[in-house]
C-alpha cells in the first residue's frame, strides 16, 4: 500500500525525527489553511426523508399600484410571488492517513492524535475548495482581459456590477495569491479613502488565515483553492455579497451510527473518524468522512473576477 506513514519517512528531510534527538514539535509544511465557510449562508441539514433539501428564498417586496379612481380598482392586478429556490445535496468526502506500528514506538511527533487533528483541519479546506469551484459558474464577470494582471479598475468594475444588481454590502472578494499580489501592485498609486487596510493581528485571530484586509469596505481574502480558467492562463476569483453562496454539513453522527463502536475514533455532527487496522501489515489507518454541499444560492449576488494567474 502506498503513502503510509513509515518511520523511514520521519528520518528523512521531510520528517521531524532524527536518530539522536527526538523533536516534540512538528514543523508545518507550507499549505493554505483558509476556511471560507464564514462567507456563506449556513443551512442546517434537515432532509425530511430525502437526500436533497430544497431551500426557498422569500419573495422580494414591490411598490404599490395606484387605483384607477376612487371607486375603480381594475389596475390592481395580482402580483407575482417571485420566490427562488436552491437545492443542497450532500455528498461523501473522505481522507485517510495510515501509520505503522513503529511510529509510536519511536516516540516521533506523528501520533494518532496529531493525525486526527490534521483530519479535523481539512474540513474547512474542503469547504473552501467547493466554494471556489463555483466561481466560474457565476453569470457575470469582470477583469482586465485574459493574461492581464488584476488592477484597481477591475475591482471597481466588480463593485459597480454588484451595485447595479442592488446587492447590499458589505462585499467579500476571494482572490488567487497572484491576483492579490497584482492588485496590491496596482494599488501603489492609490491614496486617501481607496487605500488598502491590511489585516491586523486581532482581525486575523477573529477571521482566520486567508484574510488579507479591507479595501473600500470590501473584505479581501486569498486562497490557493481559486481555480484556473482559460487553459490555465487565468484565475477565477470572485466578489460577492451575503447570500450568494450557501452550504450545509449533513449530520455525520447518522453515518457513525452504523460503524461498530470499537472502530469509531471520533464522531460529531460535522465529521466521523474511524479506525482501520491492518494486522497483517502492522498498520493502523484513520479515515475521516464529511458530508457537505456548497451551492450558488442567488447567482446575481456575485461576480467572477478573471485575470492573469
Amino acid at each position: 500500500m502506498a503513502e503510509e506513514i513509515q518511520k523511514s519517512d520521519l528520518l528523512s528531510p521531510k520528517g521531524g525525527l532524527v536518530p539522536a534527538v527526538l523533536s516534540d514539535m512538528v514543523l508545518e509544511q507550507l499549505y493554505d489553511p483558509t476556511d471560507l465557510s464564514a462567507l456563506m449562508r449556513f443551512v442546517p441539514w434537515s432532509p425530511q426523508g430525502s437526500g436533497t433539501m430544497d431551500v426557498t428564498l422569500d419573495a422580494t417586496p414591490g411598490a404599490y399600484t395606484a387605483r384607477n379612481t376612487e371607486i375603480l380598482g381594475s389596475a390592481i392586478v395580482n402580483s407575482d410571488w417571485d420566490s427562488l429556490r436552491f437545492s443542497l445535496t450532500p455528498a461523501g468526502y473522505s481522507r485517510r492517513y495510515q501509520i505503522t506500528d513503529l511510529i509510536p514506538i519511536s516516540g516521533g511527533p506523528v501520533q494518532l492524535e496529531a493525525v486526527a487533528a490534521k483530519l479535523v483541519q481539512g474540513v474547512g479546506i474542503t469547504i473552501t475548495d467547493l466554494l471556489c469551484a463555483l466561481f466560474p459558474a457565476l453569470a457575470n464577470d469582470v477583469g482586465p482581459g485574459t493574461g492581464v494582471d488584476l488592477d484597481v479598475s477591475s475591482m471597481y468594475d466588480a463593485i459597480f456590477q454588484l451595485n447595479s444588481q442592488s446587492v447590499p454590502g458589505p462585499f467579500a472578494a476571494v482572490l488567487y495569491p497572484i491576483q492579490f499580489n497584482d492588485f496590491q501592485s496596482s494599488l501603489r498609486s492609490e491614496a486617501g479613502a481607496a487605500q488598502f487596510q491590511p489585516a491586523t493581528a486581532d482581525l486575523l485571530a477573529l477571521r482566520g488565515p486567508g484574510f488579507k484586509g479591507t479595501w473600500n469596505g470590501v473584505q479581501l481574502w486569498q486562497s490557493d483553492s481559486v481555480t484556473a480558467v482559460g487553459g490555465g492562463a487565468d484565475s477565477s476569483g470572485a466578489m460577492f455579497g451575503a447570500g450568494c453562496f450557501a452550504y450545509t454539513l449533513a449530520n455525520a453522527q447518522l453515518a457513525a451510527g452504523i460503524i461498530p463502536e470499537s472502530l469509531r475514533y471520533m464522531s460529531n455532527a460535522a465529521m466521523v473518524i474511524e479506525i482501520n487496522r491492518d494486522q497483517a501489515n502492522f498498520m493502523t489507518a484513520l479515515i475521516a468522512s464529511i458530508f457537505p454541499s456548497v451551492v450558488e444560492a442567488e447567482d446575481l449576488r456575485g461576480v467572477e473576477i478573471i485575470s492573469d494567474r
Side-chain angles (χ1 to χ4, degrees):
M1 182 171 293
E3 302 302 337
E4 62 271 2
I5 303 172
Q6 302 181 46
K7 183 185 175 189
S8 57
D9 293 332
L10 301 182
L11 289 166
S12 69
K14 70 180 179 179
L17 178 64
V18 295
V21 179
L22 299 179
S23 172
D24 59 358
M25 287 185 62
V26 179
L27 297 179
E28 294 284 358
Q29 294 188 55
L30 288 175
Y31 78 106
D32 187 347
T34 303
D35 181 353
L36 299 178
S37 58
L39 301 182
M40 294 182 282
R41 173 184 297 170
F42 175 69
V43 181
W45 177 245
S46 179
Q48 303 292 325
S50 170
T52 297
M53 180 171 63
D54 291 330
V55 181
T56 299
L57 298 176
D58 202 2
T60 56
Y64 285 40
T65 303
R67 297 178 181 178
N68 301 66
T69 66
E70 181 180 355
I71 60 172
L72 183 63
S74 60
I76 314 302
V77 298
N78 290 328
S79 300
D80 179 35
W81 189 265
D82 57 344
S83 60
L84 300 174
R85 177 179 294 180
F86 63 90
S87 298
L88 291 160
T89 306
Y93 290 78
S94 299
R95 189 171 179 87
R96 170 184 176 134
Y97 288 113
Q98 186 164 254
I99 66 176
T100 69
D101 290 353
L102 281 178
I103 297 297
I105 292 174
S106 67
V110 181
Q111 305 293 337
L112 280 183
E113 294 80 4
V115 172
K118 292 298 181 188
L119 291 170
V120 171
Q121 292 165 8
V123 176
I125 297 174
T126 304
I127 298 297
T128 295
D129 284 350
L130 294 174
L131 169 63
C132 291
L134 296 175
F135 294 165
L138 290 167
N140 296 317
D141 64 77
V142 298
T146 183
V148 181
D149 293 350
L150 182 62
D151 55 15
V152 174
S153 294
S154 297
M155 294 292 282
Y156 272 118
D157 289 342
I159 293 174
F160 299 155
Q161 176 66 51
L162 294 178
N163 187 62
S164 69
Q165 298 293 338
S166 300
V167 179
F171 304 144
V174 180
L175 305 173
Y176 190 68
I178 300 301
Q179 286 185 304
F180 181 77
N181 290 346
D182 293 339
F183 172 62
Q184 275 198 306
S185 179
S186 179
L187 272 174
R188 289 178 178 177
S189 60
E190 298 292 321
Q195 285 183 313
F196 171 67
Q197 297 175 321
T200 63
D202 289 342
L203 283 175
L204 283 173
L206 177 66
R207 292 180 173 149
F211 179 65
K212 307 301 289 186
T214 59
W215 172 77
N216 274 358
V218 178
Q219 294 182 21
L220 298 178
W221 296 76
Q222 172 182 296
S223 174
D224 64 7
S225 295
V226 170
T227 57
V229 293
D234 300 312
S235 291
S236 172
M239 185 182 295
F240 48 93
C244 182
F245 300 99
Y247 81 102
T248 192
L249 278 169
N251 189 352
Q253 291 275 38
L254 301 178
I258 63 172
I259 300 171
E261 188 173 354
S262 61
L263 299 180
R264 266 182 270 152
Y265 184 85
M266 185 205 82
S267 65
N268 55 33
M271 70 184 303
V272 56
I273 301 178
E274 55 187 303
I275 298 173
N276 180 268
R277 177 64 183 169
D278 182 355
Q279 296 98 326
N281 292 302
F282 320 112
M283 294 184 289
T284 301
L286 288 185
I287 306 169
S289 298
I290 59 175
F291 304 89
S293 177
V294 180
V295 299
E296 278 186 50
E298 197 168 352
D299 182 271
L300 295 181
R301 288 179 179 263
V303 57
E304 183 186 11
I305 301 174
I306 305 173
S307 67
D308 181 52
R309 195 170 181 83

